[in-house]
Amino acid sequence: MIHPLELLDRWRRHLPGSRRWRRDSAAAATPPDQDWLREPATLEEASALYPHLSLEQAMVRYQRFRLGMRWQRDQELS
């Protein structure tokens, strides 16, 4: 038995104009020159975001934060 939402999705894919909504993740991704997550993390940014931590701890926390944002964005695009 097919789930009603899957049936609706199959039906929706055959509607006129549905082709324009089919985009792959590469087409929707941010261009590399505009992607701030590709830039190296700096100690100034890390210490400004986490002033209560030491420089090393702030940098590690900032890098984890950036990796989490990257992972979340990649999950949304796929």
Side-chain angles (χ1 to χ4, degrees), residues 59-73:
M59 186 58 129
V60 169
R61 178 88 52 97
Y62 185 45
Q63 287 176 338
R64 282 186 196 158
F65 172 71
R66 288 167 54 109
L67 287 172
M69 289 183 67
R70 165 74 70 182
W71 182 81
Q72 185 178 16
R73 190 183 71 183

Side-chain angles (χ1 to χ4, degrees), residues 3 5 7 13-14 25-26 29 31 33-36 38 40 45-46 52-53 55 57 59 61 66-68 70 75:
H3 192 275
L5 290 177
L7 183 64
R13 292 177 190 269
H14 297 290
S25 60
D33 59 335
Q34 297 175 1
D35 189 1
W36 67 273
R38 291 180 180 235
E45 291 174 341
H52 59 285
L53 299 175
L55 287 178
Q57 290 175 334
M59 186 58 129
R61 178 88 52 97
R66 288 167 54 109
L67 287 172
R70 165 74 70 182
Q75 293 298 317

Side-chain angles (χ1 to χ4, degrees), residues 20-32:
R20 65 181 168 188
W21 298 107
R22 292 184 196 160
R23 298 186 337 180
D24 60 346
S25 60
T30 306

Side-chain angles (χ1 to χ4, degrees), residues 37-48:
L37 288 173
R38 291 180 180 235
E39 298 172 4
T42 63
L43 282 174
E44 293 83 24
E45 291 174 341
S47 62

